[in-house]
Amino acid sequence: MTVALPSILLVLLFALNLPVAFAIAISALSFFFLADGLPLDIFFQKMVAATESYPLLAVPFFVLAGSLMNAAGITRRLLHLADALVGHLTGALAQACTVLATLLGGLTASSSADAAMLSKLFGPEMLRRGYSAAFAAAITSSAAIITALIPPGIGLIIYGYLADVSVGRLFLAGVVPGLLLAGSLFLTTWWIARRRGYRPTRPHFAGWGEVGRAAKEAVWALLIPVFIILGLRYGIFTTTEAGAITVLITLLIGALVYRELSWAKLPGVLRETVLDTSSVMLLICAASAFGFYLAWERLPPAMASWMVGLTRDPQMLLLLINVLLIVLGTAVEGTAALIILTPIFVPVILQFGIDPVQFGIVLVTNLTIAGITPPVGQMMFISCAVLRVPMEVYTVEILPFLAAMTAVLLLITFLPGLSLWLPDLVMGP
C-alpha cells in the first residue's frame, strides 16, 4: 500500500484542482517521507537536476521566438495569406483560423499560446458575423492542437528528452499527422458551417495574384520551419541551437525586414516568455522527482509486464494505450500526463517492437487532444475564458471536432507510415 500512496495522492490532488506542478511535486515528496533510508536531499537534487538538460534549452528559445513573431507583425501577414486562400469558402473565418494555425504551427511551438492568440484574433470577428460563441471557442481551441505536431512543438521536444529519441526525427514525423489534423478540421468546419449558414468573407476566390502577394509578404515566416528542418537534417545545428537561431532570425526579420519590432515591445515579449517557460520547467522539475519514485519502485517494468500479459499484439497494445490516455486526458493536463507517462510507456512499446518515434507522435497527439476535452483541457479553458463560453455549452459544440480528430489519431496509430515516411525519407530509416 505504501508503494501506491504517492500515486493515490497525485490523483486526489488533481481532483482538488491543485496546480499540476505542485500536485506532482507534493506527491513525489510524500514518497521520500514514506521510504526508509532515502535522504530527503535527493528530492531537491532531482528537482534541480532536471534543469541541467541541454536539450531542454530549446523550450525557452522557441517560446521566445513565438512571442517575437506576434510582436513583429508576422502573425498579421500570415492571417492575410490565410484569408486570401480560404476567404471565399463557407465558414471562411473558421477555415482561416485552421489555415493560420497550420502556418503558425512551426513558429509558436505552444498550443496554449496559439489558443490564446486565435481566440483573441478570430473570436470577436466571428461573433460580429453571426457565428455562435461556443463554435468560435471550439474551432479556436481545436486548431491550436496542430501546433503540437508541426515542428517545433514543445511536446515533441519534451518527449524526445524523456524517451531519448531524436527530436529531429520527431519534428519530421509530426508534419503529415499535423496536416491530417488540419484537413479533418476543414471538413468538420465546412459541414457545420454549411448547416448553419456561416458565410464567406469574400464573394469569390481572391485570385492567385493576391495569394502570391500575400505569400511574398509572409515568405520569411514560411521559410523558418523549412530552415529548421534542413538545418537539423544536415547537422548544421542541434535542436537547441535551432531554437537560438530561430530567435535571432525572428529578431532580424522583425527589426530589419518588417520594421515593426521595437525596443519598447521587448519587455512585454520577455515577460510573456519567462512566464510560459517557467510553467513548463516547473512541471518538468516536479516530474523528475516523481520519475525517481516510479523508477525506485520499478513501476514501469511492472506496467510493462502487466500489459504484456494482456496482449502480445502491438496494434492491440496501442489501442489499449490510446483508450487509457483518452480516459486520463479527461482528468490530467496534457503536458503533465506526457511527462509522467513517457517513462512508463516507452519500455513497454520497445518490448513490442513499436517505433518510439511513431509512438511519440501518437502520445503527443492524444494528450494534446485532451487539451480541448472537459474538464481540465487547457486550450478549452483559454478559449472559453476569452469568449465567455460556459463549459457545458462548449462540451456539446466540441463533439464533432473531437470525433474528427479521434479518427486522425486512429489513422496514425494503425498506419505508422504516416508518421515515419517523412523522417525515413529525409534522414534515412
Side-chain angles (χ1 to χ4, degrees):
M1 184 64 181
T2 303
V3 173
L5 279 177
S7 298
I8 295 171
L9 179 60
L10 180 66
V11 174
L12 290 175
L13 293 176
F14 281 156
L16 293 172
N17 286 327
L18 193 73
V20 173
F22 293 111
I24 298 174
I26 292 170
S27 302
L29 183 60
S30 70
F31 167 70
F32 288 90
F33 281 118
L34 294 170
D36 293 329
L38 275 180
L40 190 59
D41 294 353
I42 297 178
F43 170 76
F44 300 103
Q45 290 171 5
K46 289 296 177 182
M47 290 275 287
V48 174
T51 66
E52 298 173 354
S53 168
Y54 177 74
L56 285 181
L57 277 174
V59 173
F61 282 133
F62 282 122
V63 171
L64 175 57
S67 299
L68 286 170
M69 285 168 191
N70 288 332
I74 290 175
T75 302
R76 190 182 70 255
R77 288 169 172 82
L78 291 175
L79 177 59
H80 182 203
L81 175 59
D83 180 62
L85 287 169
V86 299
H88 62 292
L89 299 179
T90 302
L93 276 174
Q95 302 288 23
C97 177
T98 300
V99 172
L100 182 60
T102 306
L103 295 174
L104 283 171
L107 306 179
T108 63
S110 168
S111 294
S112 297
D114 254 17
M117 185 271 295
L118 293 172
S119 56
K120 291 174 184 175
L121 189 63
F122 286 97
E125 187 62 26
M126 283 185 181
L127 297 183
R128 280 194 291 271
R129 291 179 177 267
Y131 291 70
S132 75
F135 175 81
I139 185 58
T140 53
S141 59
S142 298
I145 290 176
I146 300 169
T147 300
L149 295 176
I150 303 290
I154 289 175
L156 297 178
I157 298 172
I158 294 173
Y159 172 82
Y161 160 70
L162 294 172
D164 195 22
V165 175
S166 166
V167 176
R169 293 187 70 85
L170 287 168
F171 280 176
L172 289 167
V175 172
V176 173
L179 295 176
L180 287 174
L181 277 177
S184 72
L185 293 181
F186 270 123
L187 293 174
T188 307
T189 299
W190 174 83
W191 177 69
I192 296 174
R194 188 177 181 185
R195 292 176 60 204
R196 299 182 183 178
Y198 294 152
R199 297 180 178 179
T201 55
R202 296 171 177 265
H204 49 73
F205 177 53
W208 291 111
E210 184 172 343
V211 171
R213 287 189 293 273
K216 184 178 179 181
E217 281 272 311
V219 68
W220 290 100
L222 297 174
L223 285 176
I224 292 175
V226 177
F227 174 75
I228 293 171
I229 290 173
L230 290 177
L232 292 171
R233 164 63 183 88
Y234 292 105
I236 300 173
F237 42 69
T238 65
T239 306
T240 303
E241 292 163 349
I245 293 171
T246 302
V247 170
L248 178 60
I249 292 174
T250 307
L251 282 169
L252 294 175
I253 293 172
L256 302 180
V257 180
Y258 296 151
R259 299 187 178 182
E260 294 188 25
L261 188 61
S262 62
W263 287 105
K265 294 180 179 180
L266 289 181
V269 167
L270 293 174
R271 180 177 181 274
E272 180 181 339
T273 302
V274 169
L275 291 174
D276 290 344
T277 302
S278 299
S279 62
V280 174
M281 289 305 300
L282 189 58
L283 265 174
I284 292 173
C285 291
S288 176
F290 194 81
F292 179 85
Y293 146 67
L294 295 176
W296 184 270
E297 297 294 352
R298 298 187 55 78
L299 293 184
M303 174 69 78
S305 300
W306 177 71
M307 287 193 151
V308 168
L310 290 176
T311 179
R312 296 295 301 177
D313 182 3
Q315 302 288 351
M316 182 57 67
L317 174 72
L318 285 174
L319 182 60
L320 289 173
I321 291 176
N322 268 322
V323 171
L324 177 61
L325 292 175
I326 289 170
V327 173
L328 287 174
T330 63
V332 182
E333 192 272 328
T335 304
L338 174 67
I339 292 170
I340 294 170
L341 296 175
T342 296
I344 295 176
F345 284 139
V346 168
V348 180
I349 60 107
L350 291 177
Q351 285 192 25
F352 280 76
I354 298 170
D355 192 297
V357 172
Q358 183 220 353
F359 180 72
I361 300 301
V362 172
L363 182 64
V364 170
T365 303
N366 193 313
L367 294 177
T368 310
I369 290 175
I372 64 170
T373 307
V376 298
Q378 190 169 5
M379 286 92 81
M380 174 196 72
F381 282 137
I382 292 171
S383 292
C384 286
V386 171
L387 297 168
R388 299 180 181 178
V389 176
M391 187 187 298
E392 57 271 18
V393 181
Y394 172 91
T395 300
V396 174
E397 198 72 43
I398 199 65
L399 291 178
F401 295 101
L402 277 176
M405 288 185 286
T406 300
V408 174
L409 174 63
L410 292 175
L411 280 176
I412 63 177
T413 297
F414 297 119
L415 297 176
L418 292 175
S419 301
L420 300 178
W421 168 76
L422 188 57
D424 285 349
L425 176 68
V426 175
M427 304 182 76

